[in-house]
Amino acid sequence: GQNIDQPTEMTATEGAIVQINCTYQTSGFNGLFWYQQHAGEAPTFLSYNVLDGLEEKGRFSSFLSRSKGYSYLLLKELQMKDSASYLCAASDSNYQLIWGAGTKLIIKP
Amino acid sequence: TAGITQAPTSQILAAGRRMTLRCTQDMRHNAMYWYRQDLGLGLRLIHYSNTAGTTGKGEVPDGYSVSRANTDDFPLTLASAVPSQTSVYFCASSDSAGGSTDTQYFGPGTRLTVL
């Protein structure tokens, strides 16, 4: 079957760095997405990786290892507004997205 | 640009009633999607449409139907609502017409409660 695993909840301190991990098992693979979702709002796109390696975009970076079925989202210089859920989604052989349940990130002052 | 709009924002519905959730996008995207989001679960695909005039079943299609008469609109209908359909429903769109991976953009969601 197809499966995405990510931690349910993480806590970090304002100004610090946090890494949110995601492992995936899909029939075929056509890339890995990260979305941010604030409570009561829609998911918004953060990053897309299809090749191995690190993609940096400001304070956010995303890493992919296709051989390990593994990705992480790295958030630097955490701000209170980063408190949100972070959703990992893998594109399968039919180009459909398989979604993880999301990681709720709590930022403490 | 509005992007994707959904209506209603929220709805309380009696079991057995028929309900249509509306979704409209103004980005001229080819593909559109309906998801439901429940606590502790990932987004689950209900139905999708790669281009106007075509639709397909997702992971959890039972009890739902869709139509795609034109590029902009993708309504989702619950023919006879049941309490297990209580959820937050998100509509999304992407530029791809199937056969490629493209970023999906989401509407604000409809919170539906079936009593």
Side-chain angles (χ1 to χ4, degrees):
Chain A
Q2 307 200 99
N3 192 52
I4 307 286
D5 283 319
Q6 52 181 130
T8 302
E9 187 174 294
M10 299 181 71
T11 302
T13 304
E14 189 177 15
I17 299 173
V18 70
Q19 178 176 310
I20 303 174
N21 297 324
C22 170
T23 58
Y24 62 89
Q25 289 178 300
T26 54
S27 57
F29 178 74
N30 286 296
L32 194 291
F33 288 88
W34 284 97
Y35 280 75
Q36 181 189 59
Q37 186 177 26
H38 285 100
E41 298 183 6
T44 56
F45 170 76
L46 285 177
S47 68
Y48 172 67
N49 295 66
V50 66
L51 300 176
D52 285 355
L54 187 68
E55 296 272 348
E56 298 186 74
K57 197 184 292 185
R59 293 189 299 114
F60 292 11
S61 302
S62 56
F63 172 83
L64 177 67
S65 169
R66 295 176 67 126
S67 62
K68 295 182 179 177
Y70 168 70
S71 173
Y72 68 73
L73 181 69
L74 191 71
L75 292 76
K76 303 176 185 176
E77 301 170 15
L78 286 170
Q79 302 175 10
M80 296 304 293
K81 67 178 182 179
D82 298 330
S83 293
S85 288
Y86 291 86
L87 313 182
C88 173
S91 177
D92 71 9
S93 58
N94 294 317
Y95 304 98
Q96 299 291 357
L97 294 187
I98 310 302
W99 295 82
T103 298
K104 182 178 180 180
L105 179 62
I106 299 167
I107 311 294
K108 295 186 174 179
Chain B
T1 301
I4 302 182
T5 58
Q6 292 184 235
T9 302
S10 64
Q11 182 75 44
I12 299 174
L13 190 65
R17 297 298 295 267
R18 180 183 179 89
M19 175 75 191
T20 295
L21 309 185
R22 300 184 298 279
C23 174
T24 299
Q25 54 107 355
D26 64 2
M27 298 177 283
R28 307 304 293 172
H29 281 172
N30 289 299
M32 297 186 75
Y33 313 85
W34 274 106
Y35 291 95
R36 59 177 291 172
Q37 187 175 42
D38 302 289
L39 268 177
L41 299 176
L43 289 161
R44 291 184 291 169
L45 184 65
I46 303 170
H47 285 286
Y48 64 94
S49 168
N50 284 333
T51 59
T54 70
T55 62
K57 294 182 179 180
E59 180 187 355
V60 289
D62 293 345
Y64 305 96
S65 63
V66 292
S67 61
R68 186 90 184 276
N70 57 61
T71 298
D72 298 344
D73 301 300
F74 191 43
L76 176 74
T77 298
L78 289 69
S80 179
V82 294
S84 61
Q85 291 178 312
T86 294
S87 187
V88 180
Y89 291 85
F90 286 103
C91 180
S93 72
S94 71
D95 201 24
S96 68
S100 66
T101 299
D102 206 350
T103 302
Q104 294 185 15
Y105 298 92
F106 286 79
T110 294
R111 184 173 297 273
L112 181 67
T113 303
V114 182
L115 301 175

